[in-house]
């Protein structure tokens, strides 16, 4: 008993020596005891700040991708991170741009002024979370919120229609008597997740800056474009080829740095008077090799008749494409210094000399009618043609390599193999009903012939090698 009394007096003395710590409102531990303590400055000044712009006129457009992408190019003048929010909104992360433009007010006015110059009505808002800025902008509230603690108060007045949730969910909320976000936020979270969906609760947490919401940034399509002005006018194509070499070298270096290739090039030759001469060319496959680019351009220029002296030139590439491993010669390297000519180079040279439409590839199509079982393709796709051939329709008899443009009539031949009946095409008005055979001509040549089932006439459609 004496020992317990001594311990009790020691505890009383220790409690009297240490002052009692009462929880206060400003203490982060009292606000969120389960979460780790965070400085108050992180809540008042979040790491991200989002600007949302909603364009009501775009809501009626059938295709919104192209107009929004053009607006992203204007938005890149203010920030490097721009996200497209279909169907008629943009989201900009502007935290790092506030200091650059002086203040948040000046940045907000600059963005709104850009839309006014484009004669495009827009509603905008700024908030620490993506959905909060988007919902406030749709509601027409031009707000500037930096403190996440103010979000519940301002979002409480926003109609639930501004969330752009599906019609069934909005109808369910209206049947419950919920028309604004404030009424929704007062309901139990567990009940909302069970009755509606966990995604709704997650959207509320994102809007209140309790949960991050990553966005996909819009990446501008890159193209190589460089202009060169001459000190004196050039009258001969040979001098043009020499002046073009530095531009081609810089274009190849531009592609190598981005590990990309191109399949189209355009060369503009500017004259003292009159419109520029445009030289357009297509490549047989995606490439970044300087040798191939130089070769096809020189072949094009060799066939060009200059109508006037050239004062300058501009080289413009097509859109950048992903450069696969098969597009690069292992032994030649990226610069194309190898001595071997590839099949794409041969195709490009022939096209440069004979014309773009003179050389083409053949793509097989799953179709029973021989004349409709293939089509021309501009791009050289050997691997793709092989895959399509594997998926083509099974054939009972072999097919000739030489197929005539139009079947030619002939007397009844000597039949070797057959028949193979082909009856198809009734749905497009070009139906056929034929019995195909392999026949032998009097000279010993094997022919691919057919007999029409209605007229009983014989025709030759192909010749075997």
């Amino acid at each position: 008993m004496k020992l317990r009394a001594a311990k009790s007096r020691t505890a009383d003395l220790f409690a009297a020596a240490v002052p009692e710590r009462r929880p206060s409102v400003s203490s982060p531990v009292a606000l969120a005891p389960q979460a780790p303590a965070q400085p108050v400055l992180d809540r008042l000044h979040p790491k991200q700040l989002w600007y949302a712009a909603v364009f009501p006129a775009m809501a009626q457009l059938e295709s919104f991708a192209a107009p929004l992408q053009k607006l992203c190019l204007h938005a890149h003048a203010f920030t490097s991170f721009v996200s497209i929010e279909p169907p008629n909104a943009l989201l900009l992360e502007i935290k790092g741009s506030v200091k650059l433009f002086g203040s948040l007010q000046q940045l907000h006015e600059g963005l709104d002024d850009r839309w006014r110059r484009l004669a495009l009505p827009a509603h905008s808002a700024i908030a620490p979370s993506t959905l909060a800025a988007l919902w406030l902008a749709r509601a027409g509230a031009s707000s500037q919120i930096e403190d996440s603690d103010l979000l519940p108060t301002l979002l409480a007045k926003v109609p639930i229609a501004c969330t752009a949730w599906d019609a069934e969910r909005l109808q369910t909320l209206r049947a419950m008597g919920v028309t604004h976000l404030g009424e929704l936020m007062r309901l139990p979270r567990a009940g909302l997740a069970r009755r509606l969906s966990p995604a709704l609760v997650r959207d509320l947490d994102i809007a209140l800056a309790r949960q991050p919401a990553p966005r996909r940034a819009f990446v501008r399509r890159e193209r190589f474009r460089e202009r060169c002005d001459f000190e004196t006018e050039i009258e001969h194509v040979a001098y043009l080829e020499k002046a073009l070499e530095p531009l081609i070298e810089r274009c190849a270096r531009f592609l190598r740095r981005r590990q990309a290739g191109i399949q189209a090039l355009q060369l503009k030759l500017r004259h003292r008077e009159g419109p520029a001469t445009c030289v357009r060319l297509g490549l047989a496959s995606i490439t970044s090799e300087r040798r191939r680019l130089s070769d096809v351009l020189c072949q094009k220029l060799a066939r060009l008749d200059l109508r006037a002296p050239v004062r300058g030139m501009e080289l413009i590439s097509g859109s950048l494409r992903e450069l696969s491993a098969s597009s690069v010669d292992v032994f030649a390297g990226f610069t194309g210094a190898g001595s071997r000519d590839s099949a794409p180079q041969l195709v490009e040279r022939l096209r440069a000399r004979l014309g773009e439409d003179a050389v083409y590839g053949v793509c097989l199509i799953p179709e029973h009618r021989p004349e409709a079982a293939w089509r021309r393709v501009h791009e050289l796709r050997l691997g793709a043609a092989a895959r399509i051939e594997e998926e083509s329709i099974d054939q009972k008899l072999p097919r000739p390599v030489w197929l005539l443009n139009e079947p030619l009539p002939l007397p009844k031949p000597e039949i070797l193999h057959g028949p193979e009946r082909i009856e198809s095409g009734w749905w497009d008005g070009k139906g056929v009903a034929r019995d195909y055979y392999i026949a032998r001509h009097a000279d010993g040549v094997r022919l691919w012939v057919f007999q029409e089932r209605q007229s009983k006439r014989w025709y030759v459609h192909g010749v075997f090698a």
Side-chain angles (χ1 to χ4, degrees):
M1 298 295 294
K2 293 181 179 180
L3 182 60
R4 290 182 180 177
K7 288 182 177 181
S8 179
R9 288 194 297 271
T10 304
D12 294 339
L13 291 174
F14 183 79
V18 180
E20 182 181 1
R21 298 183 62 183
R22 299 181 179 273
S24 60
V25 176
S26 60
S27 174
V29 178
L31 287 176
Q34 296 85 0
Q38 297 179 353
V40 179
L41 290 178
D42 286 350
R43 294 187 295 105
L44 298 180
H45 303 283
K47 296 181 180 180
Q48 291 184 341
L49 199 60
W50 295 90
Y51 168 91
V54 178
F55 308 97
M58 289 188 180
Q60 308 299 328
L61 297 180
E62 295 182 359
S63 177
F64 56 84
L68 286 179
Q69 289 176 3
K70 292 181 180 179
L71 293 179
C72 286
L73 302 179
H74 292 275
H76 274 161
F78 298 87
T79 179
S80 60
F81 191 97
V82 182
S83 176
I84 295 178
E85 294 294 324
N88 62 336
L90 294 181
L91 271 175
L92 286 67
E93 207 290 308
I94 59 172
K95 181 64 178 179
S97 304
V98 174
K99 186 176 180 180
L100 178 64
F101 286 85
S103 65
L104 183 61
Q105 180 68 25
Q106 294 179 0
L107 178 58
H108 195 174
E109 292 176 356
L111 283 164
D112 291 346
D113 185 62
R114 178 61 62 93
W115 315 135
R116 283 192 293 269
R117 291 181 181 180
L118 297 175
L120 190 61
H123 302 305
S124 63
I126 296 177
S129 69
T130 55
L131 289 183
L134 195 59
W135 293 353
L136 289 170
R138 287 173 181 164
S142 182
S143 306
Q144 294 181 10
I145 310 172
E146 295 184 78
D147 187 357
S148 58
D149 291 340
L150 301 177
L151 288 176
T153 304
L154 293 177
L155 289 177
K157 305 175 183 178
V158 175
I160 59 174
C162 297
T163 60
W165 289 331
D166 57 272
E168 183 179 356
R169 184 180 302 176
L170 294 176
Q171 183 63 28
T172 303
L173 290 174
R174 292 190 182 97
M176 297 167 54
V178 177
T179 58
H180 291 78
L181 290 178
E183 301 167 347
L184 184 61
M185 289 186 290
R186 287 195 293 268
L187 298 177
R189 292 167 54 88
L192 284 176
R194 183 175 62 254
R195 184 169 183 178
L196 296 174
S197 68
L200 184 144
V201 180
R202 185 180 65 249
D203 287 350
L204 290 177
D205 289 339
I206 293 173
L208 295 174
R210 298 171 181 169
Q211 182 177 340
R215 286 295 190 273
R216 184 184 297 274
F218 170 78
V219 180
R220 181 178 182 178
R221 290 184 178 180
E222 288 187 290
R223 295 176 185 266
F224 176 83
R225 185 167 188 168
E226 190 164 331
R227 177 176 170 177
C228 176
D229 295 324
F230 306 140
E231 295 182 359
T232 59
E233 294 182 342
I234 296 179
E235 299 181 359
H236 300 284
V237 175
Y239 296 118
L240 278 180
E241 297 177 2
K242 195 67 177 178
L244 189 60
E245 291 180 359
L247 285 181
I248 299 176
E249 176 63 32
R250 286 194 284 271
C251 179
R253 191 184 309 119
F254 172 86
L255 296 174
R256 290 197 302 269
R257 289 175 178 174
R258 288 155 179 81
Q259 296 184 359
I262 56 175
Q263 205 170 355
L265 270 176
Q266 181 180 4
L267 179 65
K268 289 185 177 181
L269 304 177
R270 295 185 297 104
H271 311 284
R272 182 185 302 176
E273 297 178 355
T277 302
C278 294
V279 179
R280 296 182 176 87
L281 53 99
L283 301 170
S285 61
I286 302 171
T287 184
S288 63
E289 299 179 11
R290 180 195 59 80
R291 179 188 174 189
R292 285 181 58 183
L293 299 177
S294 177
D295 187 32
V296 70
L297 278 172
C298 291
Q299 293 289 342
K300 275 283 189 180
L301 290 177
R303 300 175 57 248
L304 181 66
D305 294 330
L306 291 178
R307 56 180 178 80
V310 181
R311 302 187 61 183
M313 65 172 58
E314 185 178 16
L315 186 62
I316 307 171
S317 73
S319 59
L320 270 60
R321 310 278 293 275
E322 183 179 358
L323 192 64
S324 61
S326 59
S327 303
V328 183
D329 191 346
V330 176
F331 300 98
F334 283 97
T335 58
S339 59
R340 299 180 301 168
D341 289 342
S342 61
Q345 281 184 279
L346 175 61
V347 173
E348 290 160 4
R349 288 180 179 179
L350 292 175
R351 285 176 177 170
R353 295 181 180 181
L354 304 177
E356 292 291 331
D357 299 330
V359 183
Y360 55 86
V362 175
C363 176
L364 299 180
I365 301 174
E367 169 63 53
H368 290 280
R369 290 168 294 178
E371 58 270 23
W374 64 280
R375 62 182 174 87
R376 299 182 182 184
V377 291
H378 184 77
E379 184 179 356
L380 185 66
R381 299 184 300 176
L382 298 179
R387 287 194 298 271
I388 296 176
E389 185 177 4
E390 293 176 0
E391 300 172 359
S392 61
I393 298 173
D394 294 336
Q395 301 163 353
K396 298 179 181 180
L397 293 180
R399 295 288 190 265
V401 178
W402 182 5
L403 192 69
L404 304 181
N405 292 331
E406 294 291 339
L408 299 178
L410 82 163
K412 183 177 180 180
E414 180 184 353
I415 303 299
L416 297 179
H417 302 285
E420 177 188 358
R421 178 162 294 179
I422 296 179
E423 188 169 357
S424 179
W426 53 266
W427 54 86
D428 59 4
K430 300 178 181 179
V432 298
R434 305 167 179 169
D435 290 334
Y436 278 85
Y437 301 85
I438 296 178
R440 181 167 53 195
H441 194 261
D443 298 335
V445 179
R446 290 199 311 163
L447 306 175
W448 197 44
V449 301
F450 67 85
Q451 183 185 29
E452 286 189 345
R453 293 181 57 196
Q454 293 182 354
S455 64
K456 302 300 181 180
R457 296 178 181 176
W458 290 88
Y459 296 87
V460 57
H461 204 170
V463 181
F464 289 93

